[in-house]
Amino acid sequence: MSTESDATRETDGGGQRRELTARLAVPEMDCPSCAGKVDKSLERVEGVADVDLNPTTGTATVTYDRDRTSEADVVAAIEGAGYEVTGGTADDGATESDSSGDGVDVAPPSEVWTSPRAKKTWLGAVFVTLGLGFEFLLTGGNVAVASVLEYPLHVADLLFLGAVAVSGVPVVRSGYYSARNRSLDIDLLMGTAIIAATGIGYFVEAATLAVLFSIAELLEDYAMDRARDSLRELMELSPDEATVMRDGEEVTVDADDVAVGETVVVRPGDKIPLDGTVREGESAVDESPITGESVPVDKSTGDEVYAGTITEGGYLEVEVTSTAGDSTLSRIIEMVQGAQAKRTETEQFVDRFAGYYTPVVVVLAILTAAVPPLLIGDTVTAGVAGYEIAFAGDWGTWFVRGLTLLVIACPCAFVISTPVSVVSGVTSAARNGVLIKGGNYLEAMGEVDAVAVDKTGTLTKGELAVTDVVPCAAPSAANEASGETASQAGGTDEATLLRYAAGLERRSEHPIAAAILARADEADVGDLPEPTGFESLTGRGIRGEIEGETYYAGKPALFEELGFDLSRTRADDPSSDPRTDGGAAPESALAADEGTFAEETLAALEREGKTVVLVGTETDLLGAVAIADEVRPASKRAVERLHDLGVERVVMLTGDNEGTARAIAEQVGVDEYRAELLPDEKVDAVAALQEQYGDVAMVGDGINDAPALATAEVGIAMGAAGTDTALETADIALMGDDIGRLPYLYDLSHTANGVIRQNVWASLAVKALLAVGVPLGLVSVAVAVVVGDMGMSLGVTGNAMRLANVEPDALTTSEGGPDAP
């Protein structure tokens, strides 16, 4: 997609000035404090209009006035904050009509362990190891080789100073940029500590701190790079090239260069490069990159396909309906990247806390270094928790302890604990067909107490289908041998009933007609009769002549008008329900000698919320066809799973009638239902649930659900793939028509909240324990770096990556539900 664009904006003088937007890769900008330094540096560049920094992706998006500054100035400002720009747009000479440069959506993978910083770190580690060897093992060789201000420097000292020079200089340099940008961050604290320790002759501490902190930084870079991998995988789904038909020939071009309306050729095994409509060919298509559904979907002429999906074994010619930058996959990637803009409540709390935590601990570090030597003249022994601890009063001891507290003052581990968890959760969801448009929605979904679910198109498929075919009586062998028609014999079988029903309905445009025709085609009932004299009986049904006789198809009321008595009951058991198994009524439910139904047959169908269409002539009733909006196979299991995961209440909201709502509610297993609701009444229903239960998530698929989706704490849209409105307006979008993703979404969000809490409180607890141990002399500089900084940063990142292991329950998917065929 294009990542550098020209824009115009009116000035006060009525003229125009042009703006460019550059997207740059800044991989070392991996925490909020890093972004703060870059932001402050860019503020000083005249002409910069807007800055969007994303530490989790390692990118900076900067909009600037090209008449007042250049991209080179922008890059210089970022590097002036101490962060290298490794990629992005680089052409500052673009005209107003072109778009150039290779913008980035996430920082490219970096060679962490072979970078210049890594090489300096390894060299410093060698120097420290050799220095410790001379200091403690080869003491005879640790001779004085020089002196500074009458202070002798031994071999070990020179090695430690060498380690400080190669490993500590990058840290001090970053600290200088932090000081220049007035940012009290880890770089400034560590740089200050290294300089101070070196200045007073604590070479071992200075060298150890420089090397260990550099190793910690490399490990954090590696961990963040791993976290960014999930974003890179998402971006790599979109093909870079497309094969286009131009002037009768196939031409391979960049996907960005393909225009709407052009035809692209997709061969077996290829990725579909752009959204479009199939114009020729057939193929099963793996749509899991978009919908998360692993079962391939058959595509043929007229079907929609999406960029990034993969053809399984057929050839397709696809007419492009959107450019590369506007494809469904591109919008998903863009929204996933923008998820960090909507910060969670926990993240906001952590940032506020860090703003107080760091200055307080820095002050404590200063007091620790200065006050005890003034108060403790000689060594003092005190009992602490049953142990005798000696408190020395010399300046050197307390300086080192103050230095250690400076290391602990770094809030990096708990500052990154939330954003790295959000990135892991959001990208994991996107790979499984769920688009979460902000960390705040990820957090909110895990806290919902009740879920409100629309019926049509959500719990049900939203398409009418024939559910039951109930003939009045099967024709006898004698009837069949004599060649009598169904009507002449006074009975029929399912195939013949469907044949006559479909023959009548083929002239109708009603959705019920489409359902009957589809069932007849599926049952392969043979050639359909061609009706003549077709007439629609408004509100009642239809009629037409077939083979010289007038046939009717319509509501039971229509046949009662024709003189049929549909109120008879069964003589053997008038109270029984002949359809307890949910299938077609058994023969015992029919009064075959009368050519009609027992009362309970029609009553049972209608109790289940089905529309009943009777078929027959003025004298003979052939049978009934029941039609309904089918429940999704995964709906029942999804509701059960939500309950298992801890959702207190699942409520169905529908505008449908009471009977249908009750039938669907019983079949799916929701806790309650509310029927015959207008859109504004759905809003009231959601508000009532909020008052009664707490936080509510609303799931729907139609425009009429939009007000209720907006009212709920979390609005979830079904089947958003290819639907611009759903993608733009919903807080969370289930890309496919799979209600089975709803339990996965709740499980992921609930788990993410747990991971975030674990990261935050574990980080604070470790920092607090270390801080308590410092004045007691129980925590060294090395322990503070290895455990408090490096260890916790790696720990929270690794814990966050666990979210990638949360997978949808196979039993709740539309193909694997317990009711699936």
Side-chain angles (χ1 to χ4, degrees), residues 297-472:
V297 180
D298 291 330
K299 299 289 184 179
S300 58
T301 302
D303 290 334
E304 287 186 342
V305 291
Y306 308 112
T309 57
I310 305 167
T311 54
E312 294 282 311
Y315 169 90
L316 297 177
E317 290 186 7
V318 178
E319 182 181 328
V320 176
T321 57
S322 67
T323 60
D326 197 39
S327 69
T328 299
L329 180 59
S330 294
R331 292 199 299 274
I332 291 172
I333 293 171
E334 183 179 351
M335 290 176 182
V336 168
Q337 291 169 330
Q340 275 295 291
K342 298 175 179 177
R343 294 148 62 83
T344 69
E345 291 183 7
T346 304
E347 191 172 1
Q348 294 175 42
F349 159 75
V350 167
D351 285 348
R352 289 193 302 268
F353 183 86
Y356 294 103
Y357 168 84
T358 302
V360 167
V361 179
V362 168
V363 170
L364 288 177
I366 295 171
L367 294 175
T368 299
V371 174
L374 296 175
L375 298 179
I376 305 173
D378 298 316
T379 300
V380 176
T381 302
V384 178
Y387 295 91
E388 290 292 325
I389 296 179
F391 292 90
D394 63 286
W395 287 93
T397 298
W398 288 101
F399 174 82
V400 172
R401 293 177 182 179
L403 199 69
T404 306
L405 269 180
L406 272 186
V407 176
I408 295 172
C410 169
C412 285
F414 61 86
V415 167
I416 69 170
S417 60
T418 301
V420 76
S421 301
V422 168
V423 168
S424 180
V426 169
T427 53
S428 175
R431 288 198 302 272
N432 286 289
V434 179
L435 178 59
I436 303 174
K437 294 170 62 177
N440 53 335
Y441 303 125
L442 176 69
E443 188 173 70
M445 184 61 201
E447 300 293 338
V448 299
D449 304 295
V451 176
V453 189
D454 177 48
K455 179 184 77 70
T456 306
T458 303
L459 292 173
T460 67
K461 294 181 178 180
E463 300 174 356
L464 293 179
V466 173
T467 59
D468 305 87
V469 179
V470 187
C472 277

Side-chain angles (χ1 to χ4, degrees), residues 265 274 521 527 543 551 557 657 778 805:
V265 174
L274 300 147
D521 181 62
D527 294 335
R543 70 181 172 193
Y551 280 79
N657 64 71
L778 302 177
N805 298 326

Side-chain angles (χ1 to χ4, degrees), residues 147-171:
S147 64
V148 176
L149 299 177
E150 299 182 357
Y151 185 88
L153 295 177
H154 298 79
V155 172
D157 295 330
L158 293 179
L159 289 169
F160 291 139
L161 287 172
V164 170
V166 294
S167 297
V169 167
V171 180

